[in-house]
Amino acid sequence: MLLAFTACGSEQNNTEQKATNVEETAKEEKEVKDDGKKEDATTSENEDADSKEASEDNNFEGKTLNVVATSDSYVPLFEEFTKQTGADVEFLSMSSGEVISRTKAEGKPMADLWFGGGLDAFMEAKDDDLLEQYSSEMTDKLPAEYKDEDDYYFSKGLTVVGFLVNDSILQEKGLQVPKTWKDLADPKYKGEIIMSNPAISGTNYAALKGLLDLYGEEEGWELFEKINKNIDFYSKRGKDPQEKTAQGEFGIGIIPVDQKAFDAAEDYGLTVVYPEDGIPWVPEGVAIFKDSENVDIAKAFVDFMLSEKSQNMIAEIDGKDTNQLIVPDIKGLDLGLPKDKLIDEDLTTFGSDREEVLNKFKEIAGNKASEE
C-alpha cells in the first residue's frame, strides 16, 4: 500500500507539474503574441504617419496649376499630376514668342508654369528676369547640358534633327539617299530639298546653329551656302518638310525626327536618316514663372516631371527616344537614335547668337525666306 500510495502521489505531482507547464507556456505565447500585435500596430501607425506626412507635403487639393503648354497632347500627364497631388491643371496653348511678349506687356506672369518651347525663348526670359530659380534633389540629378546652369529652366526632352527621304522620287531621278549634311550640298540635289525657315521654326534654327557648332563659323556658313542653293524656298510651317516630302513634292525634307516621322516613313515608303556627320539637337524647356500665384505647385510639378514614370509618359506623348538622356535608365522609346552622333553644341550661345545667325541666314537665303 505504501508503494501504491507513493506511485499515486507521484502521478498526481506529475499531472500538476504538466498543467503548470502548459499554463506557463500559454502565458508566454500570449505575451509574445500581444507584443507582436503591439509591434505591428506601432509599425502600421508609423507607416500611416509617414504616408500622411508624404501626402500632406504634396497635397494641393482645391488648388489649380496654370500652365502654358505647346500642345494639348499633354493632358494625360497633367491628369496624372492631379491624381498624385490633388491639384487641378488648366493650360493654354501658345507659342514661345507670344508667351514672352504677353508677359512683358502685362507686367505679370500669365501662368505658374511654362511647359515646352524653344530654348532661346527660355534664355531670353531668364535674361528678362521672368523666371523663378528652383533647385531640388530631382533637378540636381539632371545632366548639366540639359538644364540652365543657374537652375532657371530645365529640359523635358530633346528635339533632334535629321532627314526624311522620299525613296521613289530619288530613284526616279537616279539619286542616292543622302547620309550627311555635306551630301545635301551636292548640286545634284538642287530643287529636291525643303527646309522650314529657321526664323520661324525652332527645329531648323537648331539645325542651322548645330551646323555652325559642328563645322565652325567659316566652314559651317560655306556649307550652308551650298545647301541653300539646292533649296527653292523655305517653308513657313514647321510641318511642311515632312508633309510635302511624304506627298512627293520634294525628295528630301529636313525635319525633327520622332515617332511621327517613322510612322510617315512606314505609311508612304520613306526613309528616316540620322546625319552621320552630326545630329543637331535642342532641349525643350520647362520653367516656373517668377512671382506666380502657385510657385509651390509649379515646383512640385518640375520634380514630378523628372520622375521615371513621367518621363516615360512624355516620351510616349512626344514620340521621342531622347528622354533617356534626361533621366538615364528609363524605358522610353527606341527609334534607333545614335546618341554618339549628337553634335557637341555650345548652348550658352544658342540664344545670344540667334539674331546674328538669323541675319546671316536672311542674307544668304534672300527672298526665298519670306516670313509673311
Side-chain angles (χ1 to χ4, degrees):
M1 289 181 64
L2 178 60
L3 290 174
F5 180 80
T6 302
C8 289
S10 176
E11 287 180 11
Q12 183 176 356
N13 288 340
N14 287 339
T15 301
E16 290 176 353
Q17 183 63 43
K18 287 180 181 179
T20 300
N21 290 341
V22 169
E23 288 178 2
E24 289 179 352
T25 300
K27 183 178 180 182
E28 288 175 359
E29 289 178 350
K30 184 176 184 302
E31 288 176 352
V32 170
K33 189 174 182 180
D34 289 343
D35 287 343
K37 286 182 178 179
K38 289 178 182 178
E39 185 175 345
D40 290 342
T42 302
T43 301
S44 178
E45 287 174 6
N46 289 338
E47 288 176 351
D48 290 342
D50 290 342
S51 177
K52 184 178 180 182
E53 184 179 350
S55 177
E56 289 175 351
D57 285 344
N58 259 357
N59 185 3
F60 300 116
E61 198 75 41
K63 296 184 178 181
T64 300
L65 177 69
N66 293 294
V67 181
V68 178
T70 53
S71 168
D72 60 5
S73 61
Y74 297 107
V75 168
L77 182 71
F78 298 149
E79 289 178 343
E80 179 63 25
F81 180 69
T82 298
K83 180 181 176 181
Q84 292 190 22
T85 66
D88 291 327
V89 177
E90 293 185 1
F91 68 93
L92 177 68
S93 294
M94 187 176 293
S95 70
S96 297
E98 288 180 293
V99 171
I100 291 180
S101 59
R102 182 168 162 179
T103 302
K104 287 182 178 179
E106 296 179 0
K108 61 179 181 180
M110 58 179 299
D112 304 305
L113 186 81
W114 188 1
F115 189 80
L119 187 68
D120 53 311
F122 285 82
M123 290 178 166
E124 182 180 344
K126 176 190 174 183
D127 292 340
D128 290 337
D129 197 28
L130 302 178
L131 305 181
E132 178 84 14
Q133 186 182 41
Y134 177 56
S135 301
S136 71
E137 288 185 9
M138 295 298 288
T139 63
D140 287 345
K141 295 177 183 177
L142 199 60
E145 60 267 39
Y146 305 132
K147 65 177 179 178
D148 173 53
E149 60 182 357
D150 299 314
D151 288 336
Y152 280 96
Y153 51 81
F154 312 94
S155 300
K156 73 175 182 66
L158 306 181
T159 294
V160 299
V161 187
F163 314 146
L164 185 64
V165 177
N166 190 310
D167 300 279
S168 297
I169 297 296
L170 295 190
Q171 286 174 7
E172 287 176 8
K173 300 183 179 182
L175 300 174
Q176 295 179 328
V177 173
K179 299 296 185 183
T180 67
W181 292 99
K182 287 189 174 182
D183 286 346
L184 295 186
D186 192 316
K188 67 184 180 182
Y189 293 114
K190 183 172 176 59
E192 293 299 334
I193 303 172
I194 180 171
M195 177 179 183
S196 296
N197 189 335
I200 299 173
S201 167
T203 296
N204 281 291
Y205 171 68
L208 184 54
K209 182 64 168 61
L211 282 181
L212 299 177
D213 285 340
L214 176 61
Y215 288 108
E217 290 282 327
E218 185 175 350
E219 186 180 352
W221 281 119
E222 288 178 0
L223 174 60
F224 183 73
E225 286 180 358
K226 293 177 182 178
I227 295 175
N228 172 71
K229 291 178 181 179
N230 293 335
I231 297 175
D232 288 342
F233 69 92
Y234 293 87
S235 68
K236 300 171 186 176
R237 301 190 310 163
K239 60 184 179 181
D240 279 346
Q242 179 167 311
E243 289 185 354
K244 292 183 180 298
T245 301
Q247 292 164 3
E249 295 182 42
F250 293 89
I252 305 164
I254 297 175
I255 64 163
V257 178
D258 55 22
Q259 185 64 58
K260 291 179 181 177
F262 282 93
D263 290 343
E266 184 175 351
D267 292 341
Y268 296 96
L270 314 175
T271 298
V272 177
V273 177
Y274 290 111
E276 294 177 358
D277 49 348
I279 303 171
W281 57 276
V282 60
E284 301 153 9
V286 173
I288 300 168
F289 285 107
K290 186 176 181 180
D291 299 327
S292 63
E293 293 182 6
N294 299 294
V295 169
D296 55 340
I297 309 179
K299 289 179 177 179
F301 186 90
V302 170
D303 288 341
F304 160 82
M305 175 193 76
L306 295 175
S307 69
E308 181 177 341
K309 181 175 183 178
S310 296
Q311 283 294 306
N312 280 323
M313 290 184 70
I314 293 172
E316 188 68 31
I317 293 170
D318 287 345
K320 297 176 180 177
D321 60 351
T322 55
N323 295 73
Q324 294 93 326
L325 299 171
I326 305 301
V327 177
D329 301 324
I330 71 164
K331 192 173 182 180
L333 299 180
D334 185 3
L335 303 179
L337 174 68
K339 297 178 175 61
D340 61 327
K341 295 295 184 180
L342 293 173
I343 295 171
D344 184 13
E345 297 183 356
D346 182 5
L347 291 184
T348 62
T349 60
F350 194 90
S352 59
D353 286 0
R354 189 174 191 273
E355 184 176 357
E356 181 182 344
V357 169
L358 291 180
N359 285 338
K360 179 70 173 177
F361 161 76
K362 291 173 183 177
E363 178 186 326
I364 294 171
N367 58 13
K368 294 194 291 185
S370 173
E371 298 178 35
E372 297 179 358

